[in-house]
């Protein structure tokens, strides 16, 4: 009986170790995802601000929507 109990305790210890390793890996993945999401949130604010700030220096052509073609006819 004592040998079975030791065997069960060892199996439980191994399972506990496996679960701890799993949660450690999940925590690492969660940290990476949080870092990427934070970077995306910061970029979603900074990119429009930079585009707005550079607006007077960037001269993009105004879309005509075919107005010139209608005037030629």
């Amino acid at each position: 009986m004592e040998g079975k109990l030791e065997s069960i305790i060892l199996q439980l210890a191994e399972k506990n170790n496996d679960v701890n390793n799993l949660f450690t890996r999940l925590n690492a993945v969660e940290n990476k995802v949080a870092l990427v999401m934070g970077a995306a949130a910061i970029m979603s604010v900074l990119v429009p601000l930079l585009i707005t700030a550079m607006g007077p220096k960037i001269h993009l052509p105004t879309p005509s929507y075919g107005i010139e073609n209608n005037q030629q006819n």
Side-chain angles (χ1 to χ4, degrees):
M1 186 74 171
E2 206 172 298
K4 278 191 168 187
L5 280 176
E6 285 182 19
S7 174
I8 291 172
I9 290 172
L10 285 175
Q11 287 177 353
L12 288 174
E14 287 177 9
K15 297 291 181 187
N16 189 27
N17 191 24
D18 291 344
V19 169
N20 285 340
N21 288 337
L22 175 66
F23 278 107
T24 300
R25 290 183 4 215
L26 284 174
N27 191 20
V29 169
E30 182 184 5
N31 288 337
K32 288 178 185 177
V33 168
L35 182 67
V36 170
M37 294 295 289
I42 290 171
M43 287 185 67
S44 71
V45 172
L46 288 181
V47 169
L49 289 175
L50 288 173
I51 291 173
T52 303
M54 295 296 292
K57 297 176 185 173
I58 300 173
H59 300 291
L60 299 174
T62 305
S64 62
Y65 302 110
I67 295 172
E68 294 89 18
N69 293 337
N70 290 338
Q71 290 176 352
Q72 290 176 356
N73 291 336

